[in-house]
Amino acid sequence: MIPIKLYSFAKGIKNARKSKGLTQEELSDQLNVSLKTIQNWEQSIAVPEFQTILRLCDFFECDMAYLFNVLDCKTYDMQFIHEQTGLSENTIKKLISRKNHFTNYNKALDILIRSTNFENVLNHIIRYMDSVKVHNILAKQRRDRNEKILAENSWAEDGLTVCNYTGNDALDKKLKTAEAEMLTQEYHLDTNFRYTIQELRRAVREQKE
């Protein structure tokens, strides 16, 4: 039994509505209830009756616990897979959808995951994402710095803007290092993807034999 808490339902119904891409007005129209009712739900003023909650579960295709913000995913099954794999609900749905629509999808995915170089690919993806994050932070710092310096150290001369600031070597060097790390990880990704493709070819040949 799920304990009924106004604030839990308010957060859950709001998340459910947003995940479906609906405004409060659109949800009220589709459920044939007043806008004020939706607002009361999301502001912790009221909780719908049990039959209405069941109707909401059908509408959002979710378990009741999701509406009360007990689950991050819409169903207990999805929540279990999410907790075991770390995959998002959208990714899990995509995998299930591909499995149901493409022949040998599971077999291909199994070969890919078991590939020796697949783990290397994942590691380099993580490192690449980290390097991009660092690069973006440093790039923003440089933009902010340049805007401030331009405002403080520039003047108009013959219709042109003149600035006498030569730069910040330390920040520029960090940014170049981050750019170099990005390129390095891109190279490793490309290399390991090629190795993974070679492994896939070998696996397919072995299956035929």
Side-chain angles (χ1 to χ4, degrees):
M1 178 68 74
I2 300 168
I4 294 190
K5 297 180 180 179
L6 290 175
Y7 67 88
S8 297
F9 182 79
K11 187 173 183 179
I13 190 66
K14 186 174 184 179
N15 289 340
R17 172 178 63 78
K18 288 187 173 182
S19 72
K20 209 170 179 66
L22 299 174
T23 64
Q24 290 182 334
E25 292 83 356
E26 291 169 338
L27 180 59
S28 68
D29 289 340
Q30 295 199 30
L31 294 177
N32 196 27
V33 299
S34 69
L35 174 60
K36 185 63 176 176
T37 296
I38 303 296
Q39 292 172 338
N40 285 344
W41 291 347
E42 295 191 5
Q43 293 172 11
S44 300
I45 297 174
V47 170
E49 295 180 351
F50 183 71
Q51 291 301 320
T52 303
I53 293 175
L54 293 179
R55 183 181 166 207
L56 289 170
C57 289
D58 289 338
F59 179 79
F60 289 112
E61 299 179 309
C62 68
D63 291 339
M64 194 181 299
Y66 176 72
L67 290 179
F68 284 88
N69 205 39
V70 175
L71 301 177
D72 295 323
C73 300
K74 288 188 176 182
T75 66
Y76 280 103
D77 288 342
M78 282 287 185
Q79 186 73 26
F80 176 79
I81 298 173
H82 164 68
E83 290 175 355
Q84 295 299 312
T85 64
L87 298 176
S88 69
E89 184 173 8
N90 286 337
T91 299
I92 296 168
K93 287 181 177 178
K94 187 173 184 178
L95 289 173
I96 293 173
S97 173
R98 295 297 187 274
K99 170 184 175 292
N100 294 334
H101 289 86
F102 294 96
T103 306
N104 292 328
Y105 181 82
N106 278 356
K107 188 180 294 184
L109 188 60
D110 182 67
I111 292 174
L112 179 62
I113 293 175
R114 287 190 292 107
S115 164
T116 304
N117 284 285
F118 185 66
E119 187 171 345
N120 292 334
V121 170
L122 291 181
N123 288 333
H124 286 298
I125 288 176
I126 293 170
R127 293 177 67 177
Y128 179 73
M129 290 170 63
D130 289 341
S131 66
V132 170
K133 183 177 180 180
V134 171
H135 177 271
N136 289 344
I137 291 173
L138 292 173
K140 184 179 185 306
Q141 289 177 355
R142 186 172 70 172
R143 285 194 303 272
D144 293 343
R145 178 206 67 187
N146 289 347
E147 289 175 2
K148 182 178 180 181
I149 289 170
L150 189 62
E152 295 176 350
N153 299 277
S154 62
W155 63 90
E157 187 175 292
D158 297 329
L160 299 175
T161 299
V162 180
C163 182
N164 64 356
Y165 183 78
T166 57
N168 183 327
D169 289 340
L171 183 56
D172 291 337
K173 285 180 179 179
K174 287 181 180 179
L175 189 57
K176 287 181 180 179
T177 300
E179 290 172 346
E181 176 63 14
M182 285 172 56
L183 291 174
T184 299
Q185 295 309 319
E186 287 177 5
Y187 168 78
H188 286 306
L189 278 172
D190 181 66
T191 302
N192 280 281
F193 267 124
R194 291 175 186 272
Y195 289 151
T196 301
I197 290 172
Q198 292 174 7
E199 283 193 83
L200 290 174
R201 287 175 179 168
R202 285 197 296 271
V204 172
R205 282 200 301 267
E206 290 171 0
Q207 285 184 344
K208 288 183 178 179
E209 295 171 358

